[in-house]
Amino acid sequence: MLRVCLKGANAAARQCLCGKVAAHPLQHCRRYTSAGDSGVSAGKIVAASLLTVGGGLGGTILYANWDPKFRSNVEKTVPYSDQVFGMTIGPPPPPPVIPIPKKPAKVEPLQISSVSEATKESKQPKKEKKAKEAAAPEKPPAVEEAAAPSPPPPPPPQTIEEASAEAAHILSAIGEVPSVPAPGTSDQTPAEAAPPAAPPAEAAAGECHECAHHEPALKERPAEEVTALLAAKDKAEQDTLASLSSTLDETLGSSANVTMAAIGAQEAALSAIAVHTQKLKEAMDAEGAPDKKSAQWRALEEALDQRSRSVDEAGAALLRAKDELEKLKAVINAAKDSKIDAARPQVLAAEENLHNMIVDLDKVVGKVQAAQSEAKIVSQYSELVNEAKEQFQKELDSITPEIKASWKGLGKLSTDDLNSLIAHAHRRIDQLNRELAEQRVREQIHIETALEQQKLEHQKALEQAVVTALEHNREEMRLEQQKKVEEVREVMEAEMRTQLRRQAAAHTDHLRDVLKVQEQELRSEADETLKNKMQEQETHYRRMTQEQLDAFTLDMNAAYARLKGMEESIDSHVIAEEEARKAHQLWLSVEALNYTLRTAGADAPTEPLESAAAAVRESCSDNEFAQALASALPAESLKRGVYSEASLRARFSDVRHLARRVALIDETRNSLYQYFLSYLQAVLLMEPQQVAPPASLNADDLDTFKLLSYACYSMERGDLELAAKLLNQLRGEPRRVAQDWLNEARLTLETRQAVSLLSAYANAVGLGTTQAP
Amino acid sequence: MSEKELGQKWDRCLADCAAKIGAGLGLGIVFSVVFFKRRTWPIAFGTGAGLGMSYSNCQNDLRSHYLLYNTILKKQ
């Protein structure tokens, strides 16, 4: 089957590829055979050639089937071989696919595993952390907690991914940072809130709160307040001290006065008692004249009165003194309680005084009491004596009723009376002797009892005296000690004062120096400020004057400038009007030029534009642009004028005709025969008279006939410029024929362009010179 | 006018042709009658020469523009 196809393909290939080639050998063969019989027959030759060709083709096809490169080469070099190959061995195999490397697939599972392991590792420390958190809620914030697991040896296995795990863990910890402190603080705050929230008594809590309130209140007092408080305290102290001292002095004074008064009174009482006693004794003892006796008795009574009075006074004074002393003691205690150091010596002095006064008072009182007791004895004796006397008197009276108790009348007595009296007296004496003897005996007993009593009393008095003496001594000792303490304190104070004085002196020296320096500095500063201020004032003043001057000059300048401005504006107005006039003139001249262009006749050119151009040049003598334009007019147009478009159009038809006829003639072909041919061509060639010219010409369009038809079209549409451009593309003889027409057209176009420019310019200038309202 | 030039040239050409042919004819006739015993060949020759000259002249005139050197140098 394949072989048949192969043979068919061979035949087709032969026919396609080497049909012609095969034809010749057959013919050659035929000639050879017809010329002379050779040993080799045609059939054999044909078969041999067929075989070689078929073998070559088959071999090529087989090898192409095996080697795709060879196949592609053959396909490239031998045309239509690809079809043959396609028919015999099928379509070419597809291009081999590039094998993809399998490395990424291997890498990915590794990464995933590491990530999962890392997350696992991170999960474990997270759990640990949470456990630690639960165990110790009072731990410090998250950063420290994150650091905490790392210092203690982590229990999970020491894998290679630990670093990454820790990094992940740290990252997760950092991520958890906002959440971690919350449980810690929430744990802490309830723990703290619990103890203060459960006080046993509200008062304590109240107190705590109060204390808490006070403490901050106390703590927060500023230094100024403290100094103020201290100053106030000092002042208060001073005041209290002053008041205390004043009160002390007062009370001391008063108590001293009163005590002195009391003592005086007591002494007066003492003296009175002594006097009285003395008087009494005298009165008792003395047996003087009755006058004197009565006088004595009277004096005695007086003395008694005096004594009683003075004793009363003394008692009252003593009471008063005691009261005053009590007051003084109270004041002294108060002074002691006030704890002011400065008052201590005063207090001490007051105490001493008090003690002395008490002692004196006691002494005096003791004296008075002794005197009183003596006086009592004496008075008792006197009373007894008086009693005896009265008794005697009574007896005497009873005996001698007539005689009154007057010793004066002794001389008048009779002898009976005297005898009775003496007998009475004797009896009395006996009685008295007996009494005396009795009395002596009793006296002994009495004396003993009295002595014992006396002893007891003496003991008591002694004890009392000892106690008082002890107290006094104690008081004295205390006072002495205090005095000594005071002295020592004074000494220390004096010492401190000297030291402080020295320090103060040093301080004052330093202060003096500093003050001197400061004074200098301040003085210099003040001088500088003064200088600056003076300078400022001066500059200010100068500036003000300058400003005034400047303002004045400014005003003057402004006025002058305005004047100038007005003048200039007027001038500029004039200039502008001039300009406008000139522009108008220019415009007019350009219009005239334009008009001259229109004066072209049917075949005649326009008038020479010389005059109009001259007029234009005159009217724009100062404007370079217009001058350039005016001089850009071609000389021909100036001298001779230009043709109108209509004439050019009319001429164009002739030119076209002629150009058609000499279309073939150029530098190379210009013999008469060519002329004949060209004429023939022009006659025979039919092209449309007018063809719209394309936007851009290509090489085909440069044919004379085409160009002419384009140009005709443009001319008919009035586009002289395009027609001229197109005719400019003519070459050879047609170009020579159209040359003059082209020149004329160019002239016309130039002139028209220049004139249109000028008119546009004139219009613009005219518009420009119109002044805005 | 450049477009009239060709017409002028043709005019000249024709005129010249007429003149030359006529002149050749005439001269040919003269020569044939005078020198060559009324053979026709001088007439043909003359006419042909005239024609040829006029053709040549015409051609030269027509292609005169395309010739590079078209000034006849005069002997100084």
Side-chain angles (χ1 to χ4, degrees), chain A residues 261-281:
Chain A
I263 288 168
Q266 296 281 355
E267 281 189 356
L270 191 73
S271 64
I273 291 168
V275 157
H276 172 75
T277 320
Q278 188 67 33
K279 284 249 162 62
L280 197 61
K281 266 193 197 156

Side-chain angles (χ1 to χ4, degrees), chain A residues 17-55:
Chain A
L17 301 176
C18 28
K20 284 185 187 167
V21 175
H24 282 292
L26 273 168
Q27 281 180 355
H28 278 297
C29 290
R30 266 204 216 126
R31 279 213 194 115
Y32 281 143
T33 47
S34 62
D37 278 318
S38 59
V40 184
S41 64
K44 276 189 190 165
I45 291 165
V46 166
S49 60
L50 265 176
L51 209 66
T52 32
V53 168

Side-chain angles (χ1 to χ4, degrees), chain A residues 621-747:
Chain A
S621 51
D622 54 349
N623 197 332
E624 279 182 21
F625 179 64
Q627 280 286 333
L629 277 177
S631 38
L633 286 166
E636 272 292 315
S637 72
L638 293 175
K639 276 185 272 194
R640 193 208 59 190
V642 291
Y643 280 94
S644 67
E645 196 173 320
S647 59
L648 282 173
R649 200 180 307 140
R651 218 168 123 180
F652 175 75
S653 56
D654 291 335
V655 167
R656 179 174 167 272
H657 232 57
L658 202 54
R660 277 186 87 247
R661 267 196 253 146
V662 296
L664 268 179
I665 311 296
D666 61 10
E667 300 92 10
T668 50
R669 302 193 183 89
N670 47 23
S671 66
L672 220 52
Y673 176 61
Q674 297 293 336
Y675 270 94
F676 169 67
L677 283 177
S678 172
Y679 275 125
L680 193 65
Q681 185 190 42
V683 165
L684 289 175
L685 199 74
M686 306 288 179
E687 88 280 6
Q689 198 186 18
Q690 294 177 23
V691 174
S696 60
L697 292 174
N698 41 8
D700 305 344
D701 295 330
L702 293 180
D703 178 37
T704 309
F705 293 100
K706 271 201 191 143
L707 283 169
L708 285 170
S709 49
Y710 290 153
C712 192
Y713 180 87
S714 338
M715 276 307 294
E716 288 303 312
R717 304 290 177 288
D719 196 348
L720 183 61
E721 194 182 332
L722 188 58
K725 282 186 199 167
L726 285 161
L727 281 183
N728 199 27
Q729 300 303 319
L730 289 171
R731 294 279 171 266
E733 190 64 30
R735 190 196 178 77
R736 266 187 10 110
V737 156
Q739 194 63 44
D740 263 357
W741 188 93
L742 259 177
N743 285 342
E744 289 300 323
R746 202 178 282 134
L747 258 176

Side-chain angles (χ1 to χ4, degrees), chain A residues 651 679 733 736-737 740, chain B residues 1-3 10 63 65-66:
Chain A
R651 218 168 123 180
Y679 275 125
E733 190 64 30
R736 266 187 10 110
V737 156
D740 263 357
Chain B
M1 310 286 187
S2 59
E3 60 261 27
W10 277 119
R63 62 152 70 141
H65 183 257
Y66 297 106

Side-chain angles (χ1 to χ4, degrees), chain A residues 284 297 378-396 428 432 435:
Chain A
M284 289 298 106
W297 285 118
V378 170
S379 67
Q380 275 182 1
Y381 168 69
S382 72
E383 271 179 27
L384 277 171
V385 163
N386 279 340
E387 243 187 75
K389 264 193 194 158
E390 279 172 12
Q391 187 82 30
F392 185 65
Q393 192 70 33
K394 264 186 214 162
E395 285 175 7
L396 214 58
R428 191 85 178 132
L432 282 173
E435 269 187 29

Side-chain angles (χ1 to χ4, degrees), chain A residues 525-540:
Chain A
E525 248 186 62
D527 282 340
E528 267 214 35
T529 22
L530 181 71
K531 220 188 295 177
N532 286 342
K533 280 272 182 287
M534 287 295 296
Q535 262 184 1
E536 258 185 50
Q537 285 296 89
E538 260 193 53
T539 47
H540 182 69

